[in-house]
């Protein structure tokens, strides 16, 4: 979920026609399809009246010559966000048993002219006035810059599927603070309650579509809970729907005045519940710092408003520091947000921030590390967008130490310098649904990396995520999308999309709703050429590769656990032991610490000769800026296998060609601090 600030629009009131159509929808219900029983891709019955799809031809199914699934992947969408934030921020539903007129209608307070569309004028200025009518006129919404109206009506999702999309990640989303401060709501602000409801409604939408196609399991919308099931769905030509979670206080893990409000038991219960609901990917923090991790800041006026929300939620504003590497969080800036700032207590002001301090001081907390490892144990994929670079760096360190591939960047919110590190792990990257020119430019920047690692590409539409979507390039552009056009596989013909009395054209309307995803992809092909679309068409395969590798990951045995360890020296303390064995006791709460001088070593005896190809080193604050890893079969003759002169502490993973060894030695050459060398844990692995 990303928020931006597009310009305002004008709109007008509900008509008698729409009320009559609502009655018709309830009375008539589903009607038989002209193709019923002949084409698997057409329903036995469809609600009437309803939106048109405007795609003809059989959706492709099966695999390519290499046995790979084909199709596009939307790695970040919010089908049920209308149920979030108190239920009145996003207006309209993805489906309704009462029909399209009930699904695509505005929030009650937006009638008759949008005067009380508070979120509209908070996020984009103006007075928020608009025509609240959805069905059948759709004068003012959905639109690419309308942040408060439903964009994921089921028939529009169907059009995207028929246009070539084969994987959709439905992120269950909410934010308790936004809910609590927003003027209109019709339910509690508890985040987990909203997540449960959105999961249920996603399953209800699957049943709703199944009913059109003749019964359970027959529809094109299939919720999947493992990668093999997803592959089977895609091979059948249907849409595999993956459940994710994007929320600010998962499991109740908020912080107040830097004090955690959750425990390890809360995290275990929460992860178990989400897994049972079918959730297979999630964010650990979003918008506000929480008890698990610090966030990647928002910029400008919106950043100031969210910083106010951070204070209201946690009792503290964002805190920044100078970055220690090339990665950095978004600059906060000093833009005013009067509507939000007036919510602050008297005498409290948003702080100013130094221009050269763009990193969140908050990284991955101890509880956050516990949650990350809990997700790994449950074979879940972790979304790193919205995490501070400090938190992201630690997550990648942990995953690298275990060779765990389950890392996803789904909509351009991680630092771009991390891209190769994600690919090297086996993770997946998708880009936010930018305009075609910007999308093509960013795709070109990372094309060489995709070629190097043999991966496809994805997009994250973030629809219903109040982020803003591609504006029209204009009817007079030299290279417009020309209707009709064919889908990426060549098998379907795609016309302009019509719902009710409104027909949308990507050239003049931009990406107004989910049904225009195929049109946007054609715009990308027109602007950037077939090669970009080909990379995107390989996206489903690459996403499922990452998911499958996460499921099949097995943590290799740590050869060092309980092994005999010796050292050149050990720091003496009256109160605790810093003996060498503390670094191999499988307890990060203990550590080995050397004397306060350079040229110190820790030696581990594995007890027998093993193949050694990876050593992990979890440094305490006293780390080595320069050190090397050496191996020996006899404890006398040592072979250097890995070294660095740019150590920065944290969790390091040394990888090298597998070598027979009984003894492993870490030789510290230069200290990174005034203290000695201190290691919480050293792991030794065969792979």
């Amino acid at each position: 979920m990303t928020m931006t600030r597009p310009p305002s629009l004008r709109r007008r009131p509900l008509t008698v026609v729409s009320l009559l159509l609502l009655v018709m929808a309830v009375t008539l219900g589903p009607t038989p399809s002209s193709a019923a029983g002949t084409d698997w891709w057409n329903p036995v019955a469809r609600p009437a009246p309803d939106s048109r799809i405007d795609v003809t031809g059989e959706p492709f199914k099966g695999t390519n010559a290499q046995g790979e699934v084909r199709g596009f992947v939307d790695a970040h969408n919010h089908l049920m966000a209308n149920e979030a934030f108190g239920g009145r921020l996003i207006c309209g539903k993805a489906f309704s048993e009462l029909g399209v007129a009930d699904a695509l209608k505005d929030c009650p307070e937006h009638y008759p002219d949008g005067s009380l569309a508070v979120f509209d004028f908070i996020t984009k200025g103006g007075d928020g006035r608009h025509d609240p009518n959805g069905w059948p006129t759709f004068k003012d919404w959905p639109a690419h810059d309308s942040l408060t109206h439903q964009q994921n009506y089921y028939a529009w999702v169907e059009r995207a599927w028929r246009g070539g999309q084969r994987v959709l990640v439905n992120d269950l989303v909410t934010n308790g603070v936004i809910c609590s401060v927003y003027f209109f709501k019709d339910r509690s602000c508890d985040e987990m309650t909203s997540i449960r409801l959105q999961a249920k409604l996603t399953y209800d939408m699957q049943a709703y579509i199944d009913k059109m196609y003749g019964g359970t399991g027959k529809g094109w919308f299939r919720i999947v809970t493992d990668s093999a099931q997803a592959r089977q769905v895609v091979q059948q030509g249907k849409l595999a729907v993956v459940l994710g979670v994007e929320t600010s206080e998962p499991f109740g893990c908020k912080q107040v005045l830097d004090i955690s409000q959750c425990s390890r038991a809360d995290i275990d219960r929460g992860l178990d519940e989400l897994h049972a609901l079918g959730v297979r990917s999630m964010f650990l923090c979003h918008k506000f710092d929480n008890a698990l991790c610090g966030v990647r800041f928002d910029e400008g006026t919106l950043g100031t408003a969210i910083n106010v929300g951070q204070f209201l939620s946690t009792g503290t504003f964002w805190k920044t520091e100078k970055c220690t590497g090339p990665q950095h969080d978004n600059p906060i800036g000093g833009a005013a947000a009067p509507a939000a700032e007036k919510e602050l207590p008297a005498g409290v002001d948003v702080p100013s921030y130094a221009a050269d301090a763009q990193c969140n001081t908050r990284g991955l907390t101890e509880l956050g590390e516990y949650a990350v490892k809990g997700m790994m144990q449950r074979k879940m994929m972790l979304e790193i967008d919205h995490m501070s670079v400090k938190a992201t760096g630690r997550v990648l360190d942990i995953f690298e130490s275990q060779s765990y591939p389950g890392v996803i960047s789904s909509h351009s919110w991680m630092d771009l310098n991390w891209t190769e590190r994600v690919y090297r792990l086996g993770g997946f990257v998708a880009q936010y649904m930018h305009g075609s020119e910007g999308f093509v430019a960013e795709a070109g920047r990372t094309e060489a990396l995709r070629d190097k690692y043999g991966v496809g590409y994805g997009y994250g539409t973030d629809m219903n995520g109040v982020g803003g979507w591609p504006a029209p390039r204009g009817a007079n552009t030299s290279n417009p999308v020309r209707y009709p056009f064919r889908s990426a596989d060549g098998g379907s013909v795609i016309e302009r999309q019509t719902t009710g009395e409104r027909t949308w054209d990507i050239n003049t309307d931009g990406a107004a709703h989910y049904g225009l995803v195929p049109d946007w992809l054609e715009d990308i092909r027109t602007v950037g050429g077939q090669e970009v679309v080909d990379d995107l068409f390989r996206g489903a395969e690459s996403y499922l590769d990452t998911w499958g590798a996460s499921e099949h990951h097995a943590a290799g045995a740590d050869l060092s656990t309980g092994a005999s360890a010796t050292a050149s020296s050990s720091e003496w303390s009256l109160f605790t032991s810093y003996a060498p064995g503390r670094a191999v006791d499988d307890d990060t709460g203990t550590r080995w610490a050397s004397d306060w001088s350079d040229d110190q070593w820790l030696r581990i005896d594995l007890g027998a000769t093993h193949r050694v190809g990876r050593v992990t080193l979890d440094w305490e604050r006293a780390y080595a800026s320069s050190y090397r890893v050496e191996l020996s079969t006899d404890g006398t003759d040592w072979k250097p296998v890995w070294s660095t002169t740019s150590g920065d502490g944290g969790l390091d993973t040394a990888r090298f060609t597998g070598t027979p060894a009984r003894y492993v030695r870490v030789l510290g050459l230069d200290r990174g601090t005034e203290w000695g060398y201190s290691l919480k844990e050293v792991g030794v692995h065969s792979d």
Side-chain angles (χ1 to χ4, degrees), residues 61-62 69-70 166-167 230-238 240:
K61 55 184 179 179
V69 299
R70 300 169 293 162
R166 291 296 178 268
V167 177
R231 285 186 178 279
Q232 184 179 35
V233 166
V234 177
Q235 286 167 358
Q236 293 169 350
K238 299 183 179 183

Side-chain angles (χ1 to χ4, degrees), residues 319-324 356-362 390:
K319 298 174 185 176
T320 66
E321 62 186 6
K322 290 185 177 180
C323 304
T324 58
D356 63 347
Q358 287 190 15
C359 279
N360 193 336
T361 60
R362 195 172 185 85
K390 196 170 186 178

Side-chain angles (χ1 to χ4, degrees), residues 226-456:
D226 62 61
S227 64
Q229 185 184 19
R231 285 186 178 279
Q232 184 179 35
V233 166
V234 177
Q235 286 167 358
Q236 293 169 350
K238 299 183 179 183
L239 179 69
V241 179
V242 185
L243 296 184
V245 165
E246 182 184 35
T247 190
S248 295
E249 298 167 4
F251 332 125
C253 282
K254 68 181 299 178
Q255 56 156 347
V256 177
L257 298 175
D258 293 320
I259 299 173
S260 169
Q261 305 299 297
C262 70
S263 65
R264 291 188 172 196
D266 294 323
I267 292 169
D268 284 331
R269 279 193 297 269
L271 285 173
D272 286 342
E273 179 182 7
L274 291 178
H275 196 274
L277 288 173
V279 172
R280 295 297 181 267
S281 71
M282 71 175 296
F283 295 76
L284 288 183
C285 50
H286 177 241
K287 298 302 179 185
F288 306 140
D289 294 341
N290 62 24
L292 307 176
C293 50
V295 294
R296 185 171 173 83
F297 308 129
D298 282 79
E299 302 179 53
T301 299
L302 182 63
T304 300
I306 292 176
N307 201 6
V308 170
Q310 155 95 9
F311 179 85
L312 296 175
S313 173
T314 70
T316 59
F317 291 104
W318 288 328
K319 298 174 185 176
T320 66
E321 62 186 6
K322 290 185 177 180
C323 304
T324 58
Q327 293 79 23
H328 61 83
D329 296 315
N330 296 322
I332 300 175
E341 291 177 83
K342 70 180 182 181
E343 299 294 326
L344 292 171
V348 176
D349 297 309
V350 177
S352 59
Y353 296 91
D356 63 347
Q358 287 190 15
C359 279
N360 193 336
T361 60
R362 195 172 185 85
L364 191 67
T365 68
E366 182 180 344
L367 281 174
E369 292 204 20
Y370 185 81
V372 168
K373 292 172 182 176
M375 290 182 67
M376 292 169 66
Q377 291 167 3
R378 293 164 178 83
K379 313 298 184 184
M380 298 172 71
M381 294 177 286
L382 176 64
E383 297 261 13
I384 57 174
D385 289 4
H386 290 297
M387 272 188 171
S388 68
V389 296
K390 196 170 186 178
T392 302
R394 182 65 179 181
V395 164
L396 295 176
D397 285 345
I398 292 170
F399 280 11
E400 286 167 348
S401 73
Q402 298 294 322
S403 299
Y404 189 74
V407 56
I408 303 287
S409 173
S410 62
H411 65 335
S412 302
W413 261 71
M414 70 161 181
D415 191 288
L416 297 179
N417 290 294
W418 293 127
T419 301
E420 183 163 18
R421 202 170 170 191
V422 171
Y423 282 149
R424 190 183 301 122
L425 270 167
F428 182 78
V429 174
Q431 186 188 159
Y432 189 84
M433 190 185 188
H434 294 119
S436 53
E437 295 98 334
F439 191 95
V440 167
E442 172 58 17
R445 187 190 71 83
T446 55
E447 180 182 10
L449 285 175
R450 292 194 297 280
D451 290 343
K452 178 179 178 180
Y453 290 95
V455 295

Side-chain angles (χ1 to χ4, degrees), residues 55-105:
V55 179
T56 57
E58 179 177 359
F60 63 89
K61 55 184 179 179
T63 58
N64 64 15
Q66 291 73 45
E68 301 169 328
V69 299
R70 300 169 293 162
F72 305 114
V73 54
D74 180 357
H76 192 103
N77 190 15
H78 303 293
L79 292 177
M80 303 299 169
N82 57 290
E83 302 294 346
F85 317 113
R88 299 276 274 276
L89 197 71
I90 308 294
C91 307
K93 306 173 187 177
F95 73 101
S96 171
E97 296 286 352
L98 299 180
V100 64
D102 181 63
L104 296 180
K105 65 181 180 182

Side-chain angles (χ1 to χ4, degrees), residues 21-69:
L21 287 167
L22 171 58
V23 174
M24 289 171 62
V26 175
T27 305
L28 296 176
T31 60
S33 165
S34 61
T38 60
D39 301 325
W40 69 270
W41 59 94
N42 285 325
V44 174
R46 190 185 289 281
D50 202 8
S51 172
R52 285 165 46 179
I53 308 300
D54 297 302
V55 179
T56 57
E58 179 177 359
F60 63 89
K61 55 184 179 179
T63 58
N64 64 15
Q66 291 73 45
E68 301 169 328
V69 299

Side-chain angles (χ1 to χ4, degrees), residues 475-497:
N476 297 323
T477 184
S478 61
N479 56 345
V481 169
R482 301 188 186 280
Y483 294 90
F485 59 88
R486 286 196 172 272
S487 57
D489 67 296
S492 298
V493 176
I494 302 173
E495 303 277 359
R496 290 176 179 84
Q497 197 281 322

